[in-house]
Amino acid sequence: MYQAVVSAMNHPDPYNPYMGLFNARSFASLGAQGVDIDVVSPRPRAPPVGPYSEYGRIPAEHDYGPYDVSYPRFAYLLPQKLFKYTLSSRSIQKMLPAYLEANVATPDICHAGHIHYDGYGLLPYCRENDIPLTVMGRGKILNNYHDLATVSQRKIRATLEYADGILCVSDSLAQIAQDIVDEPKATVLPNGADPSRYPTENESQIRSEMGLDPETTVVLFCGGYTERKGIHEIREAVDDIDHDDVHMVFAGHYGDLRADLIDSLQASPVDSYQVLWEVPPLALRRWFAVADIFMLPSHAEGRPNTVYESMASETAVVASEVSGIPEQVADGESGRLIPPRDPGALAAALDRLIEDETTRNRFAENGLARLRSKGWTWEAHGERLADIHESILDGDWDPSRRTTPATHTDPLVKPT
């Protein structure tokens, strides 16, 4: 096998255990293929007081489980809107190469969990040492690329032009990335979910423990309490959800619209609901296991992991027809796709599925079958990523070539 340096600023740490779990699962799946990985997760230098002072408690290194993580520090200037893609990115690009030169053996390849900061931060190190680079293309940067400032576009373009592979989580993002660069190098590398991690066989017992009646229809939202995730549309849609036996559950760990959502629910006909904060992964999987409907009225996405989780847990999906979601959800077969920014369509789709258990069950079964047939799991992700890296190192990388591994397990779950 080969040796890789992988970087993701968005990664769990001892004080932010739910941040960037998709990156952690991606890196673990790569390591499970026998790749020797050094993981770095840059963190801002902490001010002595204030809401960001907790960064000072993050250790320099931490045993994450499947691998060790280093947390080197860089200057992250506030407010983010003014400095995020300018001075802060310059700081990480200066810090990261120096840190790697001093602390890590020169790898065969570097891999970035995001184009920016991670890919841009690794760029001078890879150039200086003539090391190949792959970058993950996720939703926010690529979907918003043409709206960014010119200086930000230049940095992203420079990263993509150097990279040997641009690995995007959806076809729609791969097309955006390929339009930015001349040489064909963008391909699809999906995330995934493992059905065995969702305790659907214990649904009755879990419902009993949660105090939920077996006949109650559970509608779940999981994501940020933000405008981009469709919280305003949900706030309007709940006014039209008037059923006696419905329980709505909201699980998020960021966003400033949580209080507004609670206000809307209190004024709506919905009598039974929970608006949760920082739900641990095990508890979240239990909610997916008991949920009947998952809703995600986002304005923009890549291929959201929560849709994969819904499919893995046999949960019918109602989601916006944006970005990579139509690549995941077969409308009318494994879920309902609705126009974005349309609370009426969201309410109507939820209302129909709440009343129609037969269709819900059909969507749930078809979603699980689709996940399995497509190989949308973390083991498949790791196999594909290792295959891409080896092809790049061997000099026969073809972005159009795809592999579809068969059975999968989750790399973060240790064997019993």
Side-chain angles (χ1 to χ4, degrees):
M1 269 295 177
Y2 59 92
Q3 184 175 0
V5 163
V6 295
S7 175
M9 181 176 168
N10 193 7
H11 185 282
D13 63 52
Y15 299 95
N16 304 278
Y18 314 127
M19 180 173 62
L21 279 170
F22 53 87
N23 276 324
R25 298 200 183 283
S26 174
F27 299 165
S29 70
L30 180 62
Q33 300 304 310
V35 178
D36 184 7
I37 60 173
D38 288 297
V39 180
V40 292
S41 182
R43 284 293 184 270
R45 291 197 188 102
V49 294
Y52 297 95
S53 60
E54 67 178 26
Y55 283 114
R57 299 187 181 94
I58 298 171
E61 296 182 354
H62 180 64
D63 180 356
Y64 187 68
Y67 50 79
D68 294 333
V69 187
S70 299
Y71 299 103
R73 303 306 203 268
F74 71 102
Y76 188 74
L77 302 180
L78 299 171
Q80 295 182 41
K81 290 182 179 179
L82 294 179
F83 299 113
K84 182 174 182 180
Y85 295 113
T86 54
L87 299 181
S88 294
S89 62
R90 197 178 306 163
S91 172
I92 196 170
Q93 196 179 68
K94 182 178 180 180
M95 177 279 296
L96 193 53
Y99 178 85
L100 294 175
E101 292 285 3
N103 294 279
V104 176
T106 304
D108 299 302
I109 196 167
C110 287
H111 175 66
H114 300 265
I115 298 168
H116 189 282
Y117 290 90
D118 305 304
Y120 184 70
L122 287 168
L123 195 55
Y125 177 74
C126 291
R127 281 175 170 162
E128 178 68 23
N129 293 281
D130 194 23
I131 298 171
L133 171 68
T134 56
V135 295
M136 287 299 304
R138 305 190 185 276
K140 193 170 183 180
I141 285 288
L142 291 175
N143 281 328
N144 297 332
Y145 174 78
H146 295 289
D147 297 324
L148 296 174
T150 302
V151 63
S152 303
Q153 291 184 357
R154 281 203 303 265
K155 292 178 180 181
I156 293 167
R157 190 184 306 114
T159 304
L160 298 183
E161 287 176 346
Y162 179 88
D164 295 83
I166 308 168
L167 318 179
C168 300
V169 296
S170 72
D171 291 291
S172 61
L173 293 176
Q175 186 59 60
I176 295 172
Q178 193 55 64
D179 289 343
I180 298 172
V181 295
D182 295 327
E183 181 184 354
K185 58 176 70 177
T187 192
V188 178
L189 177 62
N191 291 341
D194 180 12
S196 67
R197 299 177 70 239
Y198 297 86
T200 52
E201 71 281 1
N202 297 328
E203 179 181 355
S204 296
Q205 179 182 339
I206 296 171
R207 279 182 174 250
S208 177
E209 293 171 356
M210 291 179 168
L212 294 170
D213 188 273
E215 303 303 317
T216 296
T217 301
V218 177
V219 180
L220 174 65
F221 166 87
C222 179
Y225 295 115
T226 64
E227 179 180 0
R228 181 174 174 269
K229 290 293 184 179
I231 291 298
H232 288 314
E233 285 74 23
I234 293 174
R235 291 178 61 199
E236 292 188 44
V238 294
D239 285 337
D240 297 319
I241 305 298
D242 190 5
H243 295 269
D244 293 334
D245 207 7
V246 172
H247 184 69
M248 304 193 80
V249 181
F250 300 86
H253 65 274
Y254 68 94
D256 57 3
L257 296 180
R258 184 176 179 231
D260 294 330
L261 175 62
I262 294 172
D263 289 342
S264 297
L265 287 164
Q266 289 175 341
S268 77
V270 179
D271 293 325
S272 182
Y273 59 83
Q274 293 173 261
V275 184
L276 309 175
W277 187 259
E278 292 196 346
V279 181
L282 178 60
L284 186 58
R285 291 196 294 272
R286 285 162 60 91
W287 277 117
F288 271 104
V290 303
D292 300 288
I293 303 169
F294 174 74
M295 63 173 169
L296 189 66
S298 293
H299 299 175
E301 289 284 354
R303 281 191 195 168
N305 264 40
T306 49
V307 172
Y308 288 133
E309 292 177 291
S310 300
M311 299 166 81
S313 60
E314 296 185 78
T315 304
V317 176
V318 173
S320 299
E321 193 173 11
V322 296
S323 307
I325 292 178
E327 300 169 24
Q328 297 172 288
V329 179
D331 188 33
E333 296 181 14
S334 61
R336 291 284 184 212
L337 296 176
I338 59 172
R341 305 174 189 268
D342 190 338
L346 173 61
L350 291 175
D351 195 61
R352 285 195 295 270
L353 281 182
I354 289 168
E355 294 179 346
D356 190 348
E357 182 180 2
T358 300
T359 299
R360 289 201 313 264
N361 291 340
R362 177 169 62 86
F363 286 174
E365 293 171 2
N366 290 345
L368 178 59
R370 182 173 174 82
L371 181 91
R372 286 175 166 156
S373 68
K374 296 288 187 179
W376 288 336
T377 68
W378 283 116
E379 185 175 352
H381 173 98
E383 291 174 4
R384 170 76 169 137
L385 180 53
D387 178 72
I388 290 170
H389 283 172
E390 290 180 331
S391 296
I392 290 172
L393 293 170
D394 291 342
D396 61 356
W397 162 231
D398 178 3
S400 65
R401 182 162 60 92
R402 304 203 179 178
T403 58
T404 307
T407 58
H408 318 101
T409 56
D410 192 287
L412 292 189
V413 178
K414 296 181 179 179
T416 57

